[in-house]
Amino acid sequence: MHAVVYEHFGDESVLSLREVPFPQPARGQVQVRVGVAALNPVDFKLRSGMLRMFGRPKRPAITGKDFAGEITALGPDVTGYTVGQRVFGSVDPMGGHGSCAQFVALATDLIAPTPDALSDEVAASLPVASGTALRALEDIAHLQQGQAILITGASGSVGASAVQLAHSIGARITGVCSTANVDYVRSIGADQVVDYKTDDWLSNKARFDVIFDAAASATFSSARACLTDNGIYINTMPVPKLFLAAFVARLTSRQRCVPFLLKTNAQLLERLATLAASNIIVPRIGEVIGLGQVPAAQRRMQEGKTHGKVCVRFN
Ligand SMILES: NC(=O)c1ccc[n+]([C@@H]2O[C@H](COP(=O)([O-])OP(=O)(O)OC[C@H]3O[C@@H](n4cnc5c(N)ncnc54)[C@H](OP(=O)(O)O)[C@@H]3O)[C@@H](O)[C@H]2O)c1
C-alpha cells in the first residue's frame, strides 16, 4: 500500500511516498481502509523530533494520526464492529503507524462509529483538535454556564472547537486571533474578540474563570493576573517549565495551571461524534489534498499558512 513515511527526524524533506506492507489487525484490532486522513500540528512536531521528550516513534514511521474510513478486516476477539462499517479515530504513532496511508490497523479503543450525518472529512477532523477542546473545557476545567473563558488560537482547529463548545455551554467567551479571522471567531460564538496583531489580552484588565491557551502564546506567570482567584490556566504545549509552574501553583494558590497532553479513547471519540452530529462542533475544512501533497502541506502548517483543517483524500 502507499504511505507517507520518514526514517529520520527533520524538515518535510525527510517524508517520502512509499510502498509499505499492509498492516494486519492483531488481537482486539481492526483494519481500516482510510478514506480521509486529517493533518494536525502534532504530525510535523513528531516528524521533526520536537516531541522526542515524550517518546520517539518507531521508524520507519508513517506520518499522521487522524483518519476516517471503512473497516476491511477484524482481528481476533473484536466484538461490536463489522466489516464495511464506517469508523473514525486516531492512530497511536509510537509504534511507527500513521494515518497518511491507505490502510491502518489499530485497537478498537482508538476508534468510534462515524454517524451517517458526518462526511469522512468532518469525522477525520475531530479526534486530536476537537478532542483536545472537549477534554480541556469539560473534563479538566468543568466549564459552566455564565463563566468567563478566554481562548487563544480561537481561529485554529483546537481553539475554534473550544469556542463552539463553550458557546453551547453558555459561557462568556473572549477569543484571541489575528485580524483576518476576527469575523470568523465571532461567527462561531465568541462574545468578544481580541486581535493579537493590534491588542494584547495580557495587558487588559479582564479576569477569566478559565484561560484555554490553545495557541500556547502565554505563560502561566504572565496569564495569572487575568485569572480569577480560583481560575484555571490550560496550555497545549506541555514544556517542563509549565509542569514546575503547575506544581508551585498547587502549593501556593487556589489558581491552577494545567500542562495539557491529550489521551484519546473510544468514549471521547463517541462524545465528539455526538457533538458533531448535533452541529455543536463544526470543523472548518480548509483544503482537501492528495497523499503526494502531504510534505508541502506540513510545511505550510508549520509556517502558520494553513486555514482550517487540511484533509488528505484517498482515491
Ligand atoms: N498537548 C496536546 O495534547 C495538544 C493536542 C492538540 C493540539 N496541540 C497543540 O495546540 C496548538 C493548536 O493546534 P491547532 O490544531 O488548533 O493548530 P492550528 O489549526 O494551526 O491553529 C493555530 C492557531 O493559533 C493562532 N495563533 C498563532 N499565534 C497566536 C497568538 N500569538 N495568539 C493567539 N492565537 C495565535 C493562529 O491564529 P491566526 O491564524 O488567527 O493567526 C491559528 O489559528 C498546536 O501547537 C498543537 O500542536 C496540543
Side-chain angles (χ1 to χ4, degrees):
M1 67 165 186
H2 297 307
V4 180
V5 174
Y6 60 101
E7 297 267 5
H8 310 284
F9 292 140
D11 65 18
E12 76 284 354
S13 66
V14 300
L15 295 171
S16 60
L17 183 56
R18 277 211 228 146
E19 197 66 31
V20 299
F22 283 87
Q24 297 305 326
R27 186 171 301 279
Q29 293 190 336
V30 296
Q31 183 195 61
V32 178
R33 180 189 296 114
V34 178
V36 170
L39 307 188
N40 289 285
V42 68
D43 304 338
F44 69 73
K45 290 181 180 180
L46 281 165
R47 183 216 68 218
S48 67
M50 270 172 75
L51 298 180
R52 66 186 99 188
M53 69 178 170
F54 297 108
R56 294 159 184 255
K58 188 174 159 206
R59 277 150 290 152
I62 301 173
T63 194
K65 274 175 68 69
D66 290 351
F67 68 91
E70 189 181 292
I71 294 180
T72 39
L74 305 176
D77 297 340
V78 170
T79 54
Y81 283 101
T82 53
V83 170
Q85 187 172 0
R86 291 179 67 219
V87 293
F88 73 106
S90 201
V91 177
D92 175 358
M94 289 308 158
H97 313 294
S99 62
C100 289
Q102 287 177 298
F103 290 83
V104 293
L106 76 175
T108 52
D109 194 40
L110 295 173
I111 61 168
T114 305
D116 290 344
L118 301 187
S119 67
D120 278 354
E121 278 81 1
V122 168
S125 297
L126 297 171
V128 168
S130 306
T132 294
L134 183 55
R135 279 260 188 264
L137 268 54
E138 288 199 355
D139 301 347
I140 297 174
H142 306 293
L143 185 68
Q144 304 293 316
Q145 182 177 18
Q147 283 192 315
I149 180 169
L150 179 133
I151 298 165
T152 70
S155 56
S157 300
V158 173
S161 298
V163 171
Q164 292 169 339
L165 203 53
H167 182 63
S168 77
I169 291 169
R172 291 179 286 123
I173 305 161
T174 301
V176 183
C177 65
S178 64
T179 318
N181 292 311
V182 168
D183 289 344
Y184 168 66
V185 171
R186 198 166 276 129
S187 76
I188 56 173
D191 302 292
Q192 312 276 343
V193 182
V194 177
D195 176 354
Y196 70 80
K197 297 275 186 193
T198 58
D199 198 358
D200 180 10
W201 60 272
L202 288 164
S203 58
N204 293 345
K205 294 273 181 284
R207 300 229 291 171
F208 300 92
D209 301 294
V210 179
I211 296 176
F212 179 38
D213 194 0
S217 60
T219 60
F220 177 58
S221 58
S222 64
R224 63 190 311 179
C226 303
L227 276 182
T228 54
D229 290 346
N230 54 1
I232 179 167
Y233 172 79
I234 304 172
N235 183 308
T236 59
M237 181 56 76
V239 290
K241 257 174 143 172
L242 203 65
F243 286 97
L244 183 64
F247 178 70
V248 174
R250 264 199 189 280
L251 297 180
T252 58
S253 87
R254 285 188 291 135
Q255 292 178 330
R256 278 180 66 202
C257 168
V258 178
F260 182 90
L261 202 51
L262 179 65
K263 283 200 172 64
T264 305
N265 61 24
Q267 215 186 11
L268 182 74
L269 295 169
E270 284 162 17
R271 289 163 67 198
L272 291 171
T274 304
L275 288 164
S278 336
N279 285 322
I280 290 172
I281 291 180
V282 182
R284 178 162 64 153
I285 312 295
E287 52 187 304
V288 180
I289 62 171
L291 201 53
Q293 294 164 278
V294 168
Q298 282 195 0
R299 164 169 279 279
R300 282 184 288 110
M301 180 176 278
Q302 192 159 5
E303 291 171 345
K305 291 180 180 162
T306 54
H307 307 284
K309 274 284 166 196
V310 178
C311 291
V312 183
R313 181 156 261 295
F314 292 74
N315 69 30

